Amino acid sequence: MSSELISIIIPTRNRRALLQQAVDSARAQTYKNIEIIVINEASEDDTDVYLKNIEEPRLKVITHSTPQGGNIARNKGLEASRGAYIAFLDDDDVWAGTKLEKQYEAFKRDSAIGIVTCSSLVVYQDLQIERYMNRGQNYLYSNEEAFAKIMTENFIGGASFPLIKRECLTEVEGFRPEVVSAQETDLYLRILANGHKVYAVDDVLILYRIHSMNRISDSFQPKVKGLEQLFEYKKNHFMHRLPAHEAKEVEETHIVEVSKIYTRNRKYKAFFQYFNVEKQKLSLKKKIQVWRNAFVHTLPVQIFKQNLQKVKTKRLDKEWKGYMDQNFKNN
């Protein structure tokens, strides 16, 4: 396999400081045959000035005069790209220097692999570590296994995680613009429905950032709507492929996840209204899971967990310091 072009697509809006870290991590890749396409979604800060001053021949900037949304921005980047492989990078995430190199090498294992994901560290805005997220220990998912798994959970990760063959994206025509959240899960579902395999690189190759700067996860209504859209799409297009017990698991998991969004945001009235309608569809095990999630997201428990997290963060920062210094030294 020769060194083929990889296109990095970065949509951004009003996150100048975070964007610079993302772009720097893209430019610092040990895999050098890349192009970087930044889609500036009508940013009102100094993002435009920053992008104009970057001396990088591999960089292309597309500017929207009005915000089009992440799905359309990524699709515009895909249309403008030339790479045989595509890597989306959210403007608030950071890549290890070897991310693309290691993921590209993984495609050699099986010609049917369409997506290569990786493990990550979930970090706060200042890059302190919240938790380690293991996506798989150099594991090859068959298509049947991957498709069944994506029906109940996004085991691949957010948009910044995978390297994807271009043909996989063109087959499904990229992101669906109408999907308001869980866009990545929707994309992976449609790709895997076409018969592709998934490989999970064991290495931690991404810092996935959690913060309060305009994340859709901070707004419960779009999150719920996106989950409902995703479930309807599964039900209308794919659930007939599954045995009855697996289809039931998909529906029950969906109800649990929607309930979690309500309780996480302490929208208890909406939660009770939703749960009273849907609870008859749940097994006892799933009902217990719903109530456990509700308890975990009460204010006293959250305060207790936050205090425990401070101790855990200190331990994780110490444990991963050497790895962070070596693999994310440019950030």
Side-chain angles (χ1 to χ4, degrees):
M1 188 184 290
S2 60
S3 176
E4 298 166 284
L5 179 66
I6 294 178
S7 299
I8 302 169
I9 298 171
I10 311 174
T12 189
R13 175 168 167 78
N14 293 337
R15 287 177 177 163
R16 157 69 173 81
L18 298 181
L19 172 65
Q20 182 170 347
Q21 293 182 40
V23 170
D24 285 348
S25 74
R27 297 176 68 192
Q29 290 297 297
T30 55
Y31 189 98
K32 298 302 182 183
N33 191 13
I34 62 172
E35 63 175 1
I36 304 170
I37 302 173
V38 176
I39 302 89
N40 183 4
E41 281 277 273
S43 293
E44 297 167 338
D45 56 9
D46 62 341
T47 293
D48 185 57
V49 174
Y50 158 67
L51 291 172
K52 286 180 179 177
N53 288 330
I54 298 176
E55 295 183 5
E56 173 57 77
R58 300 172 298 178
L59 175 67
K60 177 179 181 180
V61 178
I62 299 172
T63 301
H64 290 166
S65 57
T66 58
Q68 303 294 307
N71 292 356
I72 293 177
R74 292 187 185 104
N75 287 343
K76 289 290 186 182
L78 180 61
E79 291 173 8
S81 69
R82 300 175 292 113
Y85 295 83
I86 307 296
F88 297 101
L89 174 56
D90 287 346
D91 60 3
D92 51 352
D93 295 330
V94 177
W95 284 347
T98 57
K99 178 183 185 288
L100 297 184
E101 179 183 354
K102 289 182 176 179
Q103 290 183 313
Y104 180 78
E105 286 297 312
F107 280 98
K108 295 179 180 180
R109 295 175 177 267
D110 192 316
S111 61
I113 294 174
I115 299 174
V116 175
T117 189
C118 61
S119 296
S120 68
L121 293 173
V122 179
V123 299
Y124 298 108
Q125 186 164 333
D126 59 2
L127 300 186
Q128 286 190 307
I129 301 171
E130 196 262 355
R131 67 184 184 275
Y132 161 64
M133 186 180 293
N134 182 2
R135 292 285 173 189
Q137 297 178 321
N138 296 327
Y139 184 76
L140 176 62
Y141 291 89
S142 68
N143 176 253
E144 294 79 8
E145 184 181 7
F147 179 77
K149 197 171 181 65
I150 201 67
M151 286 289 283
T152 57
E153 64 173 302
N154 179 2
F155 68 98
I156 295 171
S160 302
F161 284 70
L163 180 62
I164 307 175
K165 279 184 180 176
R166 183 184 195 88
E167 65 192 64
C168 296
L169 291 162
T170 56
E171 284 172 358
V172 299
E173 298 181 342
F175 290 85
R176 291 198 297 142
E178 66 271 23
V179 179
V180 299
S181 74
Q183 300 99 329
E184 298 92 346
T185 310
D186 176 89
L187 177 72
Y188 307 149
L189 173 65
R190 291 180 288 119
I191 288 174
L192 296 180
N194 285 338
H196 301 284
K197 296 180 181 180
V198 176
Y199 188 82
V201 175
D202 181 46
D203 303 76
V204 170
L205 299 178
I206 177 174
L207 302 181
Y208 178 79
R209 200 184 319 242
I210 52 175
H211 58 86
S212 59
M213 294 177 64
N214 303 322
R215 292 193 80 102
I216 194 167
S217 56
D218 294 332
S219 179
F220 82 97
Q221 290 176 326
K223 192 75 172 178
V224 170
K225 182 178 179 181
L227 289 178
E228 294 289 3
Q229 287 178 317
L230 180 60
F231 177 68
E232 286 300 312
Y233 195 80
K234 290 176 181 178
K235 188 167 62 173
N236 293 336
H237 293 85
F238 304 120
M239 282 175 64
H240 66 277
R241 297 187 184 185
L242 304 177
H245 71 280
E246 292 186 13
K248 179 174 174 55
E249 175 69 18
V250 172
E251 182 174 31
E252 287 188 305
T253 301
H254 167 70
I255 294 170
V256 171
E257 289 302 308
V258 172
S259 298
K260 187 190 297 183
I261 297 301
Y262 286 128
T263 56
R264 178 184 295 162
N265 289 273
R266 302 191 184 95
K267 303 297 181 181
Y268 297 115
K269 181 178 180 180
F271 162 68
F272 282 115
Q273 289 174 339
Y274 177 78
F275 186 67
N276 284 335
V277 172
E278 303 293 340
K279 63 183 178 182
Q280 70 272 13
K281 301 175 184 177
L282 297 178
S283 65
L284 177 59
K285 180 181 178 181
K286 292 294 185 181
K287 288 177 182 177
I288 293 173
Q289 187 176 349
V290 168
W291 288 112
R292 178 186 176 278
N293 290 337
F295 173 73
V296 165
H297 289 105
T298 58
L299 184 58
V301 175
Q302 286 298 299
I303 293 173
F304 177 70
K305 288 181 67 178
Q306 287 170 9
N307 290 328
L308 285 181
Q309 183 61 51
K310 291 178 182 178
V311 176
K312 183 179 179 182
T313 292
K314 289 181 180 179
R315 177 179 61 79
L316 288 170
D317 284 341
K318 183 178 180 181
E319 179 182 335
W320 286 92
K321 184 180 187 306
Y323 188 88
M324 291 275 283
D325 290 344
Q326 181 178 355
N327 293 278
F328 299 93
K329 57 187 175 183
N330 294 306
N331 301 289

